[in-house]
């Protein structure tokens, strides 16, 4: 992960930035006064950073969790694959139109087992963000994902989907090529896959863009992520004709991992390093890997017919309703 001073800080992370600045100032003093030992002072400031990260994590609002899910230093799909797996072979194209760079996937070795990984990928700088279309896949991205799922099914390999998107691309050309149909087709086909499917929300989980690779036997959600039908900003602009109510919208949408677990829409919450996954990529990947392996172990012994029936029952029970008498 980026080291200070290249690290970026959100508004509520400013106290941590100030502690880093104090460490830098202390190191400069140590260079100017080599006879004075500043080791204890630096160690104390480093401990203060850990305490501050813990304190901030414990009192996050829904909007702050949305901000963390979008943190520019947060690890994306390819970073998790790199940290969790070996021998990753990326596969390209939907065999129909073109290769969508916002959707990535391929076979990799996860703890000695071959697994198909699929996920949205955002860019780490301006040029890559444009290349990856900010993680917003076109129809060919979802069709590529479905092609890879069928390939995994053909060879009897489990599938892991890593969801991180502000939504499917809403452009005119995407609609012309059947964006809605591509997402609906994926949902329909994922329900019927004979192999285990594990879904993890690793960042933003917005609208049909997330659902297009979001149907699985187990759905996990990382601690500082969100999952809902619409972003807080868009919700605010619809209800209040302004983005200024985005914090209120985030609260009312009940989009956090805790909310989703309470609604029964996700099965388990994946804990993150203190302050968020952007503080330690290796630790975040190790934690996520343990949850994925556990989820795969729980579902891998089911026969295909039972697995499909369980999936149908799982998604059929979602939601709340009242019957009129």
């Amino acid at each position: 992960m980026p080291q200070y001073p290249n690290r970026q800080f959100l508004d509520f992370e400013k106290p941590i930035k100030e502690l880093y600045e104090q460490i830098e100032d202390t190191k400069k003093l140590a260079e100017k006064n080599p006879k004075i030992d500043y080791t204890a002072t630096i160690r104390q400031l480093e401990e203060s950073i850990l305490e501050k990260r813990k304190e901030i994590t414990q009192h996050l609002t829904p909007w702050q969790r949305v901000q963390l899910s979008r943190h520019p230093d947060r690890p994306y799909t390819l970073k998790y694959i790199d940290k969790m797996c070996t021998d990753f072979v990326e596969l390209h194209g939907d065999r129909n139109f073109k290769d969508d760079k916002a959707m990535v996937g391929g076979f990799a070795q996860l703890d000695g087992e071959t697994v198909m990984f699929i996920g949205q990928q955002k860019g780490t700088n301006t040029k890559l963000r444009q290349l990856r279309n900010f993680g917003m896949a076109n129809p060919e991205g979802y069709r590529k994902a479905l092609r890879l799922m069928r390939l995994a099914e053909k060879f009897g390999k489990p599938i892991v989907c890593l969801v991180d998107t502000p939504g499917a691309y809403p452009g005119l050309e995407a609609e012309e090529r059947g964006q809605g149909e591509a997402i609906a087709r994926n949902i329909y086909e994922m329900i019927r896959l004979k192999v285990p499917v594990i879904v993890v929300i690793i960042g933003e989980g917005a609208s049909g863009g997330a659902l297009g690779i979001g149907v699985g036997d187990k759905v996990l959600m990382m601690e500082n992520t969100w999952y809902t039908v619409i972003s807080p900003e868009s919700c605010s602009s619809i209800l209040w004709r302004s983005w200024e109510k985005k914090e209120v919208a985030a609260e009312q949408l009940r989009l956090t991992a805790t909310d989703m677990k309470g609604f029964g829409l996700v099965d388990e919450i994946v804990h993150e390093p203190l302050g968020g996954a952007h503080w330690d990529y290796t630790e975040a990947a190790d934690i996520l890997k343990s949850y994925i392996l556990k989820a795969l172990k729980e579902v891998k012994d089911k026969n295909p017919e039972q697995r499909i029936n369980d999936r149908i029952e799982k998604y059929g029970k979602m939601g709340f309703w009242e019957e009129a008498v």
Side-chain angles (χ1 to χ4, degrees), residues 216-221 260-261 264-269 314:
D217 303 293
K218 295 282 185 181
V219 180
L220 315 179
M221 190 169 174
M260 293 295 105
K261 181 74 163 27
L265 300 178
V266 302
D267 299 292
E268 204 160 357
I269 298 172
K314 172 186 174 71

Side-chain angles (χ1 to χ4, degrees), residues 70-87:
R70 300 168 175 170
H71 200 292
D73 293 336
R74 192 174 177 88
Y76 301 136
T77 293
L78 289 177
K79 180 62 67 176
Y80 280 114
I81 293 173
D82 176 61
K83 292 288 184 180
M84 292 190 298
C85 307
T86 58
D87 304 319

Side-chain angles (χ1 to χ4, degrees), residues 200-221:
V200 189
I201 315 299
I202 62 168
E204 299 183 89
S207 192
L211 289 177
I213 58 168
V215 178
D217 303 293
K218 295 282 185 181
V219 180
L220 315 179
M221 190 169 174

Side-chain angles (χ1 to χ4, degrees), residues 1 31 35 37 49-50 55 116 149 177 182 212 239-240 270 296:
M1 61 281 185
E31 291 175 0
K35 294 183 180 180
D37 187 5
I49 288 174
L50 291 175
E55 178 186 331
M116 174 63 79
M149 291 175 200
R177 294 196 297 276
L239 295 181
W240 293 284
V270 179
L296 284 172

Side-chain angles (χ1 to χ4, degrees), residues 161-225:
C161 295
L162 303 180
V163 177
D164 186 9
T165 181
Y169 183 59
L172 176 62
E173 60 272 29
E175 296 300 330
E176 288 174 341
R177 294 196 297 276
Q179 185 73 284
E181 186 278 334
I183 292 171
R185 172 64 60 182
N186 276 26
I187 294 171
Y188 174 73
E189 295 291 347
M190 288 185 80
I191 285 281
R192 302 163 67 234
L193 288 169
K194 297 176 182 178
V195 294
V197 182
I198 306 301
V199 176
V200 189
I201 315 299
I202 62 168
E204 299 183 89
S207 192
L211 289 177
I213 58 168
V215 178
D217 303 293
K218 295 282 185 181
V219 180
L220 315 179
M221 190 169 174
M222 296 191 74
E223 192 176 0
N224 297 309
T225 63

Side-chain angles (χ1 to χ4, degrees), residues 83 175 210 216 231 234 259 290 302:
K83 292 288 184 180
E175 296 300 330
S231 71
S234 298
D259 292 325
S290 67
K302 291 183 181 180

Side-chain angles (χ1 to χ4, degrees), residues 1 7 12-13 16 20 46-60 65 68 71 74 222-224 270-281 283-284 287:
M1 61 281 185
R7 184 179 292 279
F12 58 88
E13 293 181 309
I16 300 175
Y20 270 108
E46 288 173 343
E47 291 173 357
S48 297
I49 288 174
L50 291 175
E51 287 298 319
K52 185 59 66 174
R53 281 164 55 184
K54 182 178 180 181
E55 178 186 331
I56 289 173
T57 303
Q58 289 176 338
H59 301 94
L60 289 172
R65 292 196 187 277
L68 276 182
H71 200 292
R74 192 174 177 88
M222 296 191 74
E223 192 176 0
N224 297 309
V270 179
H271 299 293
E272 297 183 18
L274 283 178
H278 60 288
W279 284 102
D280 193 329
Y281 293 172
E283 183 184 354
I287 295 170

